Amino acid sequence: MKFHHSFDVQAPQEAVIRFHQDPMALERLTPPLLGLRWELREPLAPGSRVRFSFGLGPLRIRWTARHEEVSPEGFVDEQEEGPFARWRHRHRFEAIGPDRTRIVDAIEADLPASPLRRVVAWAIWLGLPLLFAYRAWQTRRALEGNAPCGR
C-alpha cells in the first residue's frame, strides 16, 4: 500500500528540518484525541528510535520506529514494532524558494496477517488523510508564526 501527501509552508528549508528535529515534533503533529504516550524519544539522528503508544483508554497501540537517512532534505522512519507488517515513511523537505519549503510524506506499508491487527492497521491507514491534514495545519501554525510551537 502507498500513501502520498505534500504541502507547502512559508518557511526556509533549514527551519523545517529544525522543527522536525525537535523531540516534541511528533507530539505537536499528533491530534490530542489520539492520546499519545511516550516511552522513548531519542533526538532525530541515524539509528535513533522513538517508542510510543496511542489510543483511547485501555485500548493502546504500541509503535517503535527507527530513523534512517537523516539529512537536511529529510529522513525515513521505519516501524520496528507496531500494527503493520511493514511501514516505511519518507519525509522530504524540498526548498522551492528561499523562504518556502514543500513537505512531502510518502508511506509504504503492508498489512499484517493477523485478522485483529489487520483491522487496526486498516483503521489507521484510512485515517491517514485526516492525520496529515492536521499535520500540515500544525506545521504551518508553528513555522509561519501563526501560533506558538507548543500546544
Side-chain angles (χ1 to χ4, degrees):
M1 303 184 316
K2 294 183 179 187
F3 175 82
H4 185 270
H5 182 266
S6 67
F7 66 98
D8 296 351
V9 62
Q10 192 65 40
Q13 184 184 37
E14 298 79 26
V16 172
I17 189 67
R18 271 194 316 274
F19 174 76
H20 284 86
Q21 286 174 334
D22 182 343
M24 295 299 293
L26 184 60
E27 188 168 341
R28 291 182 188 127
L29 296 174
T30 302
L33 288 175
L34 291 180
L36 187 66
R37 292 185 195 156
W38 287 102
E39 296 176 30
L40 174 68
R41 190 172 7 188
E42 296 176 344
L44 182 63
S48 67
R49 287 181 167 76
V50 293
R51 183 176 308 117
F52 54 90
S53 67
F54 60 94
L56 301 172
L59 303 174
R60 311 290 305 164
I61 299 165
R62 285 189 71 186
W63 198 301
T64 302
R66 183 184 70 257
H67 298 119
E68 299 297 341
E69 301 178 36
V70 178
S71 75
E73 291 78 36
F75 63 97
V76 171
D77 64 75
E78 288 198 48
Q79 174 194 285
E80 291 185 332
E81 174 191 3
F84 290 86
R86 182 181 68 91
W87 172 279
R88 181 176 171 86
H89 179 181
R90 179 174 298 281
H91 309 253
R92 278 197 343 256
F93 313 124
E94 302 171 354
I96 54 175
D99 294 317
R100 192 162 189 82
T101 304
R102 176 161 296 132
I103 297 175
V104 180
D105 290 284
I107 299 171
E108 293 183 12
D110 295 327
L111 293 172
S114 159
L116 180 58
R117 284 184 61 213
R118 185 176 281 261
V119 168
V120 170
W122 261 119
I124 292 168
W125 190 262
L126 292 174
L128 289 180
L130 187 57
L131 174 65
F132 279 86
Y134 179 86
R135 287 181 169 195
W137 175 68
Q138 284 292 77
T139 301
R140 287 185 179 123
R141 287 183 68 212
L143 292 173
E144 293 178 353
N146 298 327
C149 287
R151 284 201 222 200

